C-alpha cells in the first residue's frame, strides 16, 4: 500500500463552460476530482490530498495536502471560471506545496486536468518535467476538452521528461456520452502500476461503485467501515421483515375479528329469538292456567244436571221457603253465576278471535306470529275454547222449561 501526498491541479478557465462533456466540462472535471480524492483517502488513512486552481486571477491553492475528505470536497463548491490556464505555474506551485508536506515519507504525486489550450513552449514543459523527476515527483495528466494543434504533443513531451520507471501517465479522454470519471476508472491513473504507480486501484473502484466487494468497500482496506455497513444492512433487513410480519398479523387478526363479530351477532339474534319465544310460551301458559281455573270455577258454580239436579232444587226451594235470608243469598249466587258465565263467554270469544291474538303477539319484541310453534299453540287454545262456547250457547233447562 503506497503512502502518498498528492496535489490536484484544476483547470477553471473560460474553456470549462463548454457542454461537450455532460453536464459541462467543469462539472465533469469536479466529479472526477471528487472521485479521486475519495479513493485516495480511503486507500490509506495517512494519505493526504491538496487542490489548487490554474486559471482566473492566478494560481490559487484551495487546500493544502490533508486527509480530511470533507475539507477537500468543500473547497470545490463555489468555484468561478474565467481567464486562461497557466499549466507551468500550476505545476510549480503544486511541487512547492508537496515539498512542505508534514510526513516526508509520503511519495509525491501531481495530477493535472488540462481542458483548455496550452500556451507554453514544448522546451519549457520539458524543463519542468526534468525538475519534477529530479525531486522524485510523479505526474499524471488528464487531457480532455479542447484539442488544438500541438497540445497532445506538448503534454506527451512533459510526461516523457518526468517519467521514471513508468510512474507517470497521460490519459486522453475524447468528448462523448460517457462521464469523465467513468472513463478514468479503467485508466492507469486509478489502477496504478504496483508500488511505483498511484497504488489505490481497489479504493478507486470502491469509490466509483464498480468493485466486487460487498457494499463497495474492501474489508481489507477499511474493516471497520465494512463491518458498520454490514451491521446497518442486517438491521434494516430485520426491520423490514418485522414490519412485513406485523402487517400480515394485523391483516389476519382483522379478518378473524370480522368472523367473530359476525358469529357474536348471530348468537345475539338467536338468544333474542329464544327469549321472545320463551316469553310467549310463558304468557300463553299463564293464559291457559287462568282460563282453566276460570272454567273450573264456572263449572263448580253452575248447576250440573248429572248430579241430582231435581233433588237440589227441591231442597233449596224448601229451605228458602222457611228462611228468607237463605232465599236472598240464593238469588245473589244465581246472579253471580250468570255474571261469571258471561265473562267466560267473552273470554272464549276473545281467544277465538285470531286477528286479535295475532296483533297481540306481533306487538311483542322478537315474536313472529307466523312461527309454526306459535300457530300450533293458538290452534290448541281455540279448540279448547270452542266446546265451552258451544256449551254456553246451549239454553239451560230452566230456560227450556220457561
Amino acid at each position: 500500500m503506497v503512502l502518498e501526498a498528492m496535489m490536484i491541479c484544476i483547470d477553471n478557465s473560460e474553456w470549462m463552460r463548454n457542454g461537450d462533456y455532460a453536464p459541462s466540462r467543469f462539472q465533469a472535471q469536479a466529479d472526477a476530482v471528487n472521485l479521486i480524492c475519495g479513493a485516495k483517502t480511503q486507500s490509506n488513512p495517512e494519505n493526504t490530498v491538496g487542490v489548487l486552481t490554474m486559471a482566473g486571477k492566478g494560481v490559487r491553492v484551495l487546500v493544502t495536502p490533508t486527509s480530511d475528505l470533507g475539507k477537500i470536497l468543500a473547497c470545490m463548491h463555489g468555484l468561478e471560471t474565467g481567464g486562461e490556464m497557466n499549466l507551468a505555474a500550476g505545476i510549480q506551485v503544486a511541487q512547492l506545496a508537496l515539498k512542505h508536506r508534514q510526513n516526508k515519507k509520503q511519495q509525491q504525486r501531481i495530477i493535472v486536468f488540462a481542458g483548455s489550450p496550452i500556451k507554453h513552449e514544448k522546451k519549457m514543459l520539458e524543463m519542468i518535467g526534468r525538475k519534477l523527476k529530479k525531486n522524485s515527483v510523479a505526474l499524471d495528466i488528464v487531457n480532455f476538452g479542447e484539442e488544438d494543434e500541438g497540445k497532445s504533443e506538448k503534454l506527451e513531451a512533459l510526461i516523457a521528461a518526468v517519467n521514471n520507471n513508468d510512474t507517470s501517465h497521460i490519459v486522453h479522454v475524447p468528448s462523448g456520452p460517457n462521464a469523465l470519471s467513468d472513463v478514468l476508472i479503467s485508466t492507469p491513473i486509478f489502477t496504478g502500476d504496483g508500488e511505483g504507480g498511484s497504488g489505490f486501484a481497489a479504493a478507486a473502484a470502491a469509490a466509483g461503485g464498480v468493485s466486487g466487494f460487498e457494499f463497495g468497500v474492501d474489508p481489507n482496506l477499511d474493516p471497520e467501515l465494512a463491518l458498520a455497513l454490514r451491521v446497518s444492512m442486517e438491521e434494516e433487513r430485520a426491520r423490514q421483515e418485522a414490519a412485513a410480519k406485523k402487517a400480515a398479523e394485523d391483516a389476519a387478526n382483522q379478518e378473524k375479528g370480522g368472523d367473530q363479530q359476525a358469529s357474536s351477532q348471530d348468537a345475539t339474534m338467536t338468544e333474542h329469538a329464544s327469549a321472545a319465544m320463551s316469553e310467549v310460551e310463558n304468557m300463553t301458559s299463564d293464559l291457559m292456567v287462568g282460563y282453566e281455573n276460570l272454567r273450573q270455577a264456572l263449572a263448580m258454580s253452575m248447576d250440573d244436571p248429572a248430579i241430582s239436579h231435581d233433588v237440589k232444587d227441591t231442597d233449596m226451594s224448601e229451605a228458602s221457603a222457611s228462611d228468607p235470608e237463605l232465599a236472598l243469598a240464593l238469588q245473589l249466587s244465581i246472579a253471580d253465576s250468570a255474571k261469571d258465565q258471561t265473562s267466560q263467554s267473552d273470554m272464549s270469544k276473545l281467544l277465538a278471535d285470531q286477528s286479535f291474538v295475532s296483533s297481540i303477539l306481533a306487538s311483542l319484541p322478537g315474536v313472529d306470529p307466523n312461527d309454526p310453534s306459535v300457530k300450533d299453540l293458538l290452534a290448541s287454545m281455540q279448540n279448547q275454547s270452542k266446546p265451552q262456547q258451544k256449551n254456553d250457547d246451549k239454553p239451560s233447562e230452566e230456560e227450556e222449561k220457561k
Side-chain angles (χ1 to χ4, degrees), residues 126-239:
E126 290 178 347
M127 182 180 64
I128 293 174
R130 288 192 293 269
K131 185 177 181 181
L132 293 176
K133 182 177 181 180
K134 181 180 179 180
N135 293 297
S136 301
V137 179
L139 178 65
D140 292 328
I141 298 177
V142 180
N143 181 21
F144 70 105
E146 209 66 28
E147 187 64 37
D148 62 344
E149 184 179 356
K151 178 183 177 182
S152 298
E153 183 180 356
K154 293 177 182 179
L155 294 177
E156 292 285 354
L158 176 59
I159 288 296
V162 73
N163 194 12
N164 183 17
N165 297 327
D166 199 19
T167 58
S168 300
H169 312 89
I170 182 171
V171 178
H172 303 278
V173 183
S175 60
N178 296 327
L180 182 61
S181 58
D182 294 340
V183 176
L184 293 178
I185 287 176
S186 59
T187 62
I189 295 179
F190 276 83
T191 59
D193 52 358
E195 293 296 328
S198 59
F200 55 96
V210 297
S211 69
F213 300 114
E214 187 180 11
F215 313 115
V217 178
D218 185 1
N220 296 324
L221 298 178
D222 197 343
E224 295 181 356
L225 178 59
L227 179 60
L229 291 174
R230 186 178 297 106
V231 171
S232 177
M233 182 62 68
E234 291 177 356
E235 291 178 352
E236 178 65 18
R237 187 181 297 110
R239 186 191 66 79

Side-chain angles (χ1 to χ4, degrees), residues 267-334:
T268 303
M269 294 177 64
T270 304
E271 291 178 358
H272 288 321
S274 300
M277 290 299 298
S278 176
E279 184 176 357
V280 172
E281 291 178 357
N282 293 334
M283 293 179 64
T284 305
S285 177
D286 294 340
L287 290 175
M288 291 298 297
V289 171
Y291 172 75
E292 184 66 20
N293 294 334
L294 181 60
R295 188 182 65 82
Q296 294 178 359
L298 290 174
M300 292 175 65
S301 62
M302 294 174 62
D303 292 332
D304 191 352
I307 307 175
S308 60
H309 181 70
D310 296 336
V311 177
K312 291 182 178 179
D313 289 342
T314 302
D315 296 339
M316 285 295 185
S317 298
E318 295 176 355
S320 58
S322 61
D323 192 351
E325 293 181 359
L326 180 59
L328 179 61
L330 288 175
Q331 291 178 359
L332 292 176
S333 175
I334 293 172

